[in-house]
Amino acid sequence: MKKILAVLLAVLMLCLALTACNNTPAGNDDPTPTQGADAPTGAPEDDETEGGKYMPMDGGYPFEQYKLPAYTDFTSNEILIMTNAEYNSDPTKFDAMRDVYGLTYKTKLITASDWMTQFISMFMANESADIVLGGGMPLNMINKGYLQPLDELIDFDLPIWQDIKSSIDNLWYKDHIYTMAAKPSRAEIVFYNKTLFEEMNMKTPDEYYAEGNWNWDTFRQLALDMTVDNDGDGIPEVYGAYAEAGLCLFTSGIDYVTMNRDGTVTNNIPSDAMSRAVNYYVQLYNDGMYQGADNHTAFAAGNIAMGTIAVWQAKNVCGDMFKNGTIGFVPYPKDPSTDKYYVSEDFMGDIVAANAPNPKASAAFICSKRYNTLIDALDEEVIAEKEAMSLSEYVDTYGASYEFDKFLSEELFSDKFTPVNKISYNLQIANKWAGDFWFRPLTGEPWTTIAEEISPAIDEHISSLLNAE
C-alpha cells in the first residue's frame, strides 16, 4: 500500500511540474506576472509624499513638478509676523501656509525705520517674532549671531527653488543663507518709442536684441542717431536717450561691492569693470543724453526716444502708449567686454531670528510664499482671464500690457541672463557715494583719481559693518 501511495505522489508531482513549465513563456525564467489581465489588482497608489519628503495635499498636487517640503511637529500652529504693513492672506484663495500646513498668524506692526531696534529688543528678551518680512541682509546682525541660517531649515535644492537657483547662489554668506524672498525682482528695462523709430526709419532695440547685438555700442549709436535738433540751437526736440547709472554698472557684471560666500565683502571700486561703467556713462552724458529728473514724463510726451525708466513710473505715465502699442521694451544692453548677459535684481527677503520660537513653522511660511507664487503664475483660470481682456482693459487694470508683464516674469528670468545681486543698496554704499561715482567724473575728474580717493573710505565702511559691536 505504501508503495502505491508513493508512486501516485510521484506522478502528481510530475504533472504539476509539467503544467508549470507549459505556462512559462519561452526564454523567460522569471515567474513574476506581467502587466495584463493576470496582474495583481489593488496595488497601492503612488506616494505623493515620496516617503515623507513632501506634505500630502488634498486632491493631489496640481503641478507635480512643485511640491511642498514636509514640516510637522510645530511648536505652535500660530506664527508671529513682524512687518511694517499689515500682512493679509486672502481667505477666498488657496494658501499653502493655511491649507496645507494648517498655520495661522498674527502680526506685530513696526515702522520701517525702527525695525532693527525692535528686533534686537525682542531678541534680547527672548520674545522674537517667527518671521521678519523684508528684513534684507543685515550683515552686522548676522555676524552677531542674531539670525537663523535658513539653509538649516530649508532644502534649497528642492524643485520649488530651481527656477531661481542662480539667484539663491548669490545669497550665500559665511556658508549659509540668511534671507529669502518668494521671487527676485528684475525690473531694469529700456523703453523706447516705436513711433519715433518708425518715423526716422531706424532699426529698433528689439531688432538688435533679437539678433543678439543689443549692447553698449548699439545703444549709444542709436542714442546719437535718434537725437533730433532741427533748428540747430543745441537743444534737441527729441533726445536719443535717458540712462540711469545702473545701465552701465550692473550690465558690466558687478555691483559697487560683492558679498562672498566666505563672509568677506569685495570692494569693486578699483576694478576694471567699474572703470568701464563710469567711463561709458561719461560718454553717454557728453553725447547729449537727456539729464532732466522728469525723464518718465518727457518720454511719455515723445521727447525721448529711449529711456531707462522705472517700471512703476512707466505704468503711471505711459498708459496711452501701452494701449496704442507705441511703447517698446528690451533688457538693459550688454557690456560688450563681458562674456555674459547680466541683469541686476533685488532679492532681499524675509529673515528668521536665531531664537525664533517656531522655526519649523517659519520655514513652512517661507516655502508657502514661494509655492503660492509658483502656482499663481500657472493658474489656468487667471491666465485665461488675462488673455481674454482687451488691451485697454488690461492696461487700466494692471498699468501695462499683458505682453509687458510676461516679459518681466519670463524673458528677464530666462537662462540667457546671469543675475547680479544689488547688495550695495542694503549696505548703504550706493547712497553714501553716488555723487562720487557718477557726478564727479562728469565734471572732468579722472576716474582713477576718484577711485583711489574713495576706495579706502568704502573699505573702512565695509569693515565697520562686518565688525560692528
Side-chain angles (χ1 to χ4, degrees):
M1 184 66 177
K2 291 181 179 179
K3 289 183 178 180
I4 295 173
L5 289 174
V7 171
L8 291 173
L9 182 59
V11 172
L12 177 61
M13 294 293 289
L14 178 61
C15 291
L16 290 173
L18 289 172
T19 301
C21 289
N22 289 335
N23 285 341
T24 302
N28 181 8
D29 296 329
D30 183 5
T32 304
T34 56
Q35 186 174 0
D38 296 331
T41 58
E45 295 181 2
D46 290 340
D47 177 16
E48 69 174 357
T49 72
E50 296 185 22
K53 184 177 181 180
Y54 299 103
M55 295 292 293
M57 183 183 289
D58 289 343
Y61 285 94
F63 302 98
E64 280 298 311
Q65 72 269 36
Y66 301 129
K67 292 183 178 181
L68 286 159
Y71 292 103
T72 57
D73 301 325
F74 299 131
T75 305
S76 166
N77 284 338
E78 182 181 73
I79 60 174
L80 177 61
I81 300 172
M82 179 185 283
T83 173
N84 64 356
E86 189 70 41
Y87 180 79
N88 289 308
S89 176
D90 188 343
T92 66
K93 292 185 178 180
F94 171 84
D95 178 18
M97 180 187 72
R98 178 190 65 228
D99 297 333
V100 177
Y101 291 114
L103 294 170
T104 60
Y105 66 89
K106 61 181 179 180
T107 56
K108 177 178 176 59
L109 288 175
I110 54 168
T111 63
S113 59
D114 72 347
W115 80 264
M116 195 172 291
T117 302
Q118 287 280 339
F119 178 98
I120 294 173
S121 175
M122 294 173 69
F123 184 94
M124 294 303 181
N126 202 30
E127 297 175 350
S128 292
D130 295 297
I131 288 282
V132 180
L133 300 190
M137 194 71 184
L139 300 189
N140 56 337
M141 295 175 69
I142 294 171
N143 294 334
K144 292 176 182 178
Y146 289 164
L147 299 191
Q148 167 74 43
L150 298 182
D151 56 290
E152 294 181 352
L153 298 172
I154 300 169
D155 183 356
F156 290 107
D157 288 327
L158 293 181
I160 62 171
W161 303 104
Q162 290 311 297
D163 289 353
I164 55 172
K165 193 66 167 61
S166 60
S167 299
I168 293 174
D169 287 343
N170 285 335
L171 292 180
W172 289 96
Y173 177 73
K174 289 191 170 182
D175 281 328
H176 290 293
I177 292 174
Y178 290 93
T179 185
M180 186 52 55
K183 188 176 182 178
S185 172
R186 299 180 185 177
E188 295 193 333
I189 311 294
V190 172
F191 293 96
Y192 68 93
N193 188 314
K194 290 183 178 181
T195 301
L196 292 176
F197 274 85
E198 185 177 342
E199 289 174 353
M200 296 186 64
N201 196 28
M202 294 292 296
K203 190 174 180 178
T204 67
D206 254 329
E207 293 174 300
Y208 282 107
Y209 180 59
E211 68 184 23
N213 192 27
W214 180 234
N215 56 45
W216 286 4
D217 295 335
T218 50
F219 176 85
R220 181 179 177 228
Q221 190 59 52
L222 278 181
L224 290 168
D225 293 342
M226 292 299 296
T227 299
V228 178
D229 182 11
N230 288 324
D231 56 13
D233 64 353
I235 303 176
E237 290 78 47
V238 175
Y239 287 84
Y242 170 86
E244 297 281 359
L247 177 144
C248 314
L249 178 64
F250 301 114
T251 53
S252 63
I254 61 167
D255 189 4
Y256 302 109
V257 296
T258 300
M259 181 180 69
N260 303 311
R261 184 164 183 154
D262 65 2
T264 60
V265 175
T266 301
N267 178 3
N268 292 323
I269 303 309
S271 69
D272 290 340
M274 186 72 196
S275 178
R276 277 199 318 274
V278 171
N279 289 327
Y280 178 62
Y281 184 76
V282 172
Q283 249 187 342
L284 293 176
Y285 180 89
N286 290 335
D287 287 341
M289 181 176 66
Y290 187 79
Q291 296 298 313
D294 62 338
N295 58 84
H296 50 292
T297 53
F299 173 80
N303 302 131
I304 305 175
M306 301 182 293
T308 57
I309 302 165
V311 169
W312 68 269
Q313 289 178 322
K315 287 189 173 186
N316 281 343
V317 302
C318 298
D320 288 341
M321 294 182 72
F322 279 110
K323 287 181 180 180
N324 57 34
T326 58
I327 191 169
F329 37 85
V330 289
Y332 276 6
K334 178 182 178 293
D335 176 356
S337 299
T338 64
D339 59 354
K340 295 180 180 178
Y341 208 140
Y342 292 99
V343 59
S344 71
E345 65 180 18
D346 292 298
F347 198 26
M348 300 293 104
D350 306 336
I351 58 176
V352 177
N355 62 355
N358 206 354
K360 288 185 179 180
S362 302
F365 174 84
I366 292 171
C367 291
S368 294
K369 285 181 67 177
R370 171 64 181 161
Y371 181 82
N372 293 347
T373 298
L374 290 169
I375 298 306
D376 286 347
L378 297 173
D379 190 317
E380 294 181 356
E381 290 185 6
V382 173
I383 293 173
E385 181 181 325
K386 288 181 176 181
E387 290 179 341
M389 297 174 73
S390 69
L391 178 59
S392 181
E393 289 174 331
Y394 194 96
V395 174
D396 287 340
T397 304
Y398 297 103
S401 64
Y402 183 51
E403 178 189 13
F404 176 70
D405 284 346
K406 287 185 68 176
F407 173 83
L408 285 181
S409 63
E410 296 177 10
E411 179 65 20
L412 288 186
F413 282 87
S414 63
D415 292 340
K416 70 181 69 172
F417 294 103
T418 298
V420 176
N421 191 336
K422 295 166 68 172
I423 184 65
S424 67
Y425 289 85
N426 198 248
L427 304 184
Q428 300 299 308
I429 290 173
N431 296 339
K432 288 177 179 288
W433 285 280
D436 295 293
F437 299 144
W438 306 110
F439 178 73
R440 287 174 63 182
L442 297 181
T443 65
E445 287 189 70
W447 170 247
T448 52
T449 303
I450 299 170
E452 287 176 3
E453 175 191 328
I454 65 176
S455 192
I458 292 174
D459 286 334
E460 184 178 347
H461 177 74
I462 293 170
S463 178
S464 67
L465 286 175
L466 300 185
N467 301 302
E469 295 296 332

